[in-house]
Amino acid sequence: MAEKTARHSDGGPRPTPERDARVILSNEPGSFARGVLANRHPALIEQVRDAFPYGPRQHEALDALLEQNNNGVIEPLAPSESDHEQWSAWGRELFGRSWFDAPFLWSESYFYRRLLSAVGYFGTGPWQGVDPFAPFKRAELRGTAVDEELRALDALADAPADERATALLHASVWGNRADLGFRVTEGDAAPGAAADDLVADDSPLLWQLLPAGAGATVAVVADNAGRELIPDLILIDHLLVHRHAERIVLHVKPYPYYVSDATTADVVDCLRRLAEAPGEAGRIGSRLWDAMATGRLEVRAHPFFCAPLPYEEMPGDLRAEFEAATTTILKGDLNYRRLVGDRMWAETTPFADRTAYFPGAVAALRTLKSDVIVGLEQKTLEALERSGAAWRTSGTHALIQVRGAT
C-alpha cells in the first residue's frame, strides 16, 4: 500500500494510517531529531570535556566521538567492552551507516553509550564509575529554585487531599518545568501547567486505578534526576501516605544516560536534599528514607532501561515485574517514545492501541519534547496545529495518558 502523508505543524511529513508510520531518523533537514545529533550532541561533548580534568586519553576519545557523530559512520564497541556482543546484535544492520541514517532512538542511545566509553566510565582506571553528568545534576539540585519549591510544600501540606493529589500529579508531569510554588485554592493553577497546556488528561482514570486503601503495588519508571525526580518522589510519598499504594518500586537507569536520567545515586541525592530541608519537605524526605528501609519503597535498575529498544521488546523478567504491579507509571519523554514506539504515528491513534502489548495498566506522564504523539482528540490536534507553534518539541505542552488493565 502506498504511504499516505499529511503535514504537521513542524512542517514534516506525517503518515496517517497507523501501519504506515515511519521510524524517525535524524536525516531530515530541519527536523528535531537532526538538531539533536547535529547540535545537542557536539555541545554536550564540549560540556562534559570542560566539566572534568580529564587526561589525554579521554580528550582524544571525545574528539574521535565528535568527529564520528558529525562526519563519520557508526562503529561497533571495542571487543574488550563487556556489552560488545549485545550492542553488536542491536546494531548489526546499522554499523557503517551515518549516525543520521540510523533510527533516532537507536543512534541517540548509542551516542550516550559511546560517550561513557570515551570518558572511561566502564574502564578499569581511575575514572571508572564517575558520572560525567553529575556536575550538571548536582548544580540543578543545589539551585535556589529547588529551595523555593520545597518551601512551597509547607502551604500545600494543609490543602485537602484531592487538591494536594492533583497539584503533586501536575508537578510530576511537568518535571523540571514544574513549579511547586503554586496555589491550590480554587481557580488557581500551577504556572506553566494550565489546563490548556495538557493536550490529554486521563488523570481521573489514573486515580480510579489507584483508589485509597487498595494496598496496591505501583511501579514508577523514572526519567530525569534533580528538579524532576524530586516531585516524583513527593508524589510517591503522597501515594504511600494515602495508601493509593502499599508498596512502590521505583525503576531507574543502571548507569548515567541521556545527561539527566536518574540513577540510584541520583535518588539518594534527592532523598538527602529532601531530608535535609526544613518543614514539610524534610518530613517527606524522612518518610521516604524510612520507606526504603522497610521495603515500602524499593529502587531497581534493570539493564533494559539503557537499551535502544521499545518496551514492546522488553525481556521476560521485566515484563513479569510490570505484570505484577497494579499500575505502572512511566515518566518523561524517552519513556513515552519507548512505550508507544519512536515513529510518526497519526496523532489520533488511540493510546490504548499502541500500549495494548504492555502487561497491566499503564500511565504516561510526559512533557512533550520530541515528535512522537498518539492519543489526541481531533479537535485538540486541530487547535494545536492552528497555533503554528512547535508544540511537539518545545516543552510547552504535556499529557497524562492512561490505559487500564485489559
Coordinates of all heavy atoms in Angstrom, one line a residue, residues 56 85 104 122 133 161 167 176 186 211 231-232 240 254 271 283 296 298 313 320 357 371 398:
P56 N 44.7 13.1 28.6 CA 44.8 13.0 27.1 C 43.9 11.9 26.5 O 43.4 12.0 25.4 CB 46.3 12.8 26.9 CG 47.0 13.3 28.1 CD 46.0 13.1 29.2
E85 N 29.0 -7.7 22.7 CA 28.2 -8.7 21.9 C 26.8 -8.2 21.8 O 26.1 -8.3 20.8 CB 28.3 -10.0 22.6 CG 27.6 -11.1 21.9 CD 27.8 -12.5 22.5 OE1 28.8 -12.7 23.2 OE2 27.0 -13.4 22.3
F104 N 16.5 7.2 15.1 CA 16.8 8.2 16.1 C 16.9 7.7 17.5 O 17.9 8.0 18.2 CB 15.7 9.3 16.1 CG 15.9 10.4 17.0 CD1 17.2 11.0 17.2 CD2 14.8 11.0 17.7 CE1 17.3 12.1 18.1 CE2 15.0 12.0 18.6 CZ 16.2 12.6 18.8
F122 N 33.3 2.8 32.0 CA 33.3 1.3 32.2 C 34.7 0.7 32.2 O 34.8 -0.5 32.2 CB 32.5 0.7 31.0 CG 31.1 1.1 31.0 CD1 30.5 1.9 30.0 CD2 30.2 0.6 31.9 CE1 29.2 2.2 30.0 CE2 28.8 0.9 31.9 CZ 28.3 1.7 30.9
F133 N 27.9 13.3 34.0 CA 26.8 14.3 34.0 C 26.5 14.8 35.4 O 25.7 15.7 35.6 CB 25.5 13.7 33.4 CG 25.7 13.0 32.1 CD1 25.2 11.7 31.9 CD2 26.4 13.6 31.1 CE1 25.4 11.0 30.7 CE2 26.6 12.9 29.9 CZ 26.1 11.7 29.7
A161 N -6.9 16.7 50.6 CA -6.2 15.6 49.9 C -6.3 15.6 48.4 O -5.4 15.3 47.7 CB -6.6 14.3 50.5
A167 N -2.3 18.7 42.6 CA -1.2 19.5 42.5 C 0.1 18.7 42.3 O 1.0 19.1 41.5 CB -1.1 20.4 43.7
N176 N 10.9 19.2 35.2 CA 11.8 20.4 35.5 C 11.2 21.7 35.0 O 11.8 22.7 35.1 CB 13.2 20.2 35.0 CG 13.3 19.9 33.5 OD1 12.3 20.2 32.8 ND2 14.4 19.4 33.1
E186 N -9.1 27.4 44.8 CA -10.0 27.2 43.7 C -9.7 28.3 42.7 O -9.7 29.5 43.0 CB -11.5 27.2 44.1 CG -12.4 26.9 42.9 CD -13.8 26.8 43.4 OE1 -14.1 26.9 44.6 OE2 -14.7 26.6 42.5
P211 N -7.2 3.6 43.9 CA -8.1 4.0 45.0 C -7.4 3.9 46.3 O -6.5 3.1 46.5 CB -9.2 3.0 44.9 CG -8.6 1.8 44.3 CD -7.6 2.3 43.3
P231 N 9.9 16.1 42.5 CA 8.4 16.0 42.5 C 7.9 14.6 42.3 O 6.8 14.2 42.8 CB 7.9 16.9 41.4 CG 9.1 17.3 40.6 CD 10.3 17.1 41.5
D232 N 8.6 13.7 41.6 CA 8.3 12.3 41.5 C 8.3 11.7 42.9 O 7.4 10.9 43.3 CB 9.2 11.6 40.6 CG 9.1 12.0 39.1 OD1 8.1 12.7 38.8 OD2 10.0 11.7 38.4
L240 N 2.0 6.7 49.0 CA 2.2 5.8 50.2 C 1.4 6.3 51.4 O 0.7 5.5 52.1 CB 3.6 5.7 50.5 CG 4.5 4.9 49.5 CD1 6.0 5.1 49.8 CD2 4.1 3.5 49.4
P254 N 20.5 1.9 35.1 CA 21.6 1.3 35.8 C 22.9 2.0 35.7 O 23.9 1.8 36.4 CB 21.7 -0.1 35.1 CG 21.1 0.2 33.7 CD 20.1 1.2 34.0
L271 N 16.8 12.2 47.9 CA 16.3 11.9 49.2 C 17.0 12.7 50.3 O 16.4 13.2 51.2 CB 16.4 10.4 49.5 CG 15.5 9.5 48.7 CD1 15.8 8.1 49.0 CD2 14.0 9.8 49.1
R283 N 10.0 16.4 56.3 CA 9.2 15.3 56.8 C 9.0 14.3 55.7 O 9.0 13.1 55.9 CB 7.9 15.9 57.3 CG 8.0 16.6 58.6 CD 6.7 17.0 59.2 NE 6.1 18.1 58.5 CZ 6.3 19.4 58.8 NH1 7.1 19.7 59.8 NH2 5.6 20.3 58.2
R296 N 8.8 -0.5 51.7 CA 7.6 0.0 51.0 C 8.0 0.8 49.8 O 7.2 1.0 48.9 CB 6.9 0.9 52.0 CG 6.3 0.2 53.2 CD 5.5 1.1 54.1 NE 4.3 1.5 53.3 CZ 3.7 2.7 53.5 NH1 4.2 3.6 54.3 NH2 2.6 3.0 52.9
E298 N 11.1 0.6 47.0 CA 12.3 -0.1 46.5 C 12.8 0.4 45.2 O 12.0 0.8 44.3 CB 12.0 -1.6 46.4 CG 13.1 -2.5 45.9 CD 12.8 -3.9 45.8 OE1 11.6 -4.3 46.2 OE2 13.6 -4.7 45.2
E313 N 9.7 -4.7 23.2 CA 10.7 -5.8 23.1 C 11.4 -6.0 24.5 O 12.5 -6.6 24.6 CB 11.8 -5.4 22.1 CG 11.2 -5.2 20.7 CD 12.3 -4.9 19.7 OE1 13.5 -5.4 19.8 OE2 12.0 -4.1 18.8
A320 N 7.5 -9.5 33.6 CA 6.9 -10.1 34.8 C 6.7 -9.1 36.0 O 5.8 -9.1 36.7 CB 7.7 -11.3 35.2
Y357 N 0.1 -4.1 24.2 CA 1.0 -5.2 24.5 C 1.5 -5.1 25.9 O 2.0 -6.1 26.5 CB 2.3 -5.1 23.6 CG 3.1 -3.8 23.9 CD1 4.1 -3.9 24.8 CD2 2.8 -2.6 23.3 CE1 4.9 -2.8 25.2 CE2 3.6 -1.5 23.6 CZ 4.6 -1.6 24.6 OH 5.3 -0.5 24.9
D371 N 9.0 14.4 18.7 CA 7.9 14.5 17.7 C 6.8 13.5 18.0 O 5.7 13.7 17.6 CB 8.5 14.2 16.4 CG 9.2 15.3 15.8 OD1 8.7 16.5 15.8 OD2 10.4 15.2 15.3
A398 N 2.0 19.2 27.7 CA 2.3 17.9 28.5 C 1.0 17.0 28.3 O 0.0 17.4 27.7 CB 2.5 18.2 29.9

